[in-house]
Amino acid sequence: VQLQASGGGLVQPGDSLRPSCAASGFALKYYNIGWFRQAPGNKREGVSYIASKSGGTHYVDSVKGRFTISRDNSGNTVYLQMSGLKPEDTAVYYCAAGDASGEWHERYIYYWGKGTQVTVSS
């Protein structure tokens, strides 16, 4: 069972990135799937997720209108299209799979991917 995240990088303010998260060994469709991030000195926060039961997408207020979460047709790869990046988006981004009946919070997460660093700096 593994979540493999990739696609982070160093970009300038206003640029875009599209990290991806691929699952192996289990089917993502049975879980809420999405992303958390953790900036230095901060707690890990939920950024965005796709709800398993409804297919609805959810975003933290600070990224609404700039980030878009999606999944491929197989349902086992999830993407986070990040546009209009700001320096405050700098963090390690973690993909995660959690309880389909739970909130998008660390305590409901079953599987974590290794983080991918996103740095936004001029």
Side-chain angles (χ1 to χ4, degrees), residues 18 21-22 28 50 70-79:
R18 192 189 187 215
C21 176
L28 286 178
I50 301 174
S70 63
R71 64 201 309 168
D72 69 354
N73 288 337
S74 74
N76 254 35
T77 300
V78 176
Y79 304 93

Side-chain angles (χ1 to χ4, degrees), residues 28-122:
L28 286 178
K29 65 180 179 180
Y30 298 115
Y31 303 86
N32 291 344
I33 178 68
W35 298 85
F36 288 77
R37 68 184 178 186
Q38 187 167 22
N42 289 1
K43 293 182 179 180
R44 189 151 45 183
E45 69 166 346
V47 177
S48 179
Y49 74 101
I50 301 174
S52 173
K53 295 181 178 180
S54 68
T57 56
H58 303 268
Y59 302 91
V60 68
D61 285 347
S62 59
V63 308
K64 284 180 181 177
R66 300 188 297 121
F67 290 11
T68 304
I69 191 169
S70 63
R71 64 201 309 168
D72 69 354
N73 288 337
S74 74
N76 254 35
T77 300
V78 176
Y79 304 93
L80 186 66
Q81 177 67 50
M82 305 161 58
S83 302
L85 282 162
K86 304 176 180 180
E88 51 263 43
D89 295 317
T90 295
V92 178
Y93 283 72
Y94 300 90
C95 64
D99 189 330
S101 298
E103 300 173 16
W104 193 241
H105 189 279
E106 291 182 79
R107 62 176 172 265
Y108 294 105
I109 299 302
Y110 293 139
Y111 305 111
W112 291 97
K114 291 185 180 180
T116 184
Q117 177 70 47
V118 171
T119 303
V120 185
S121 175
S122 56

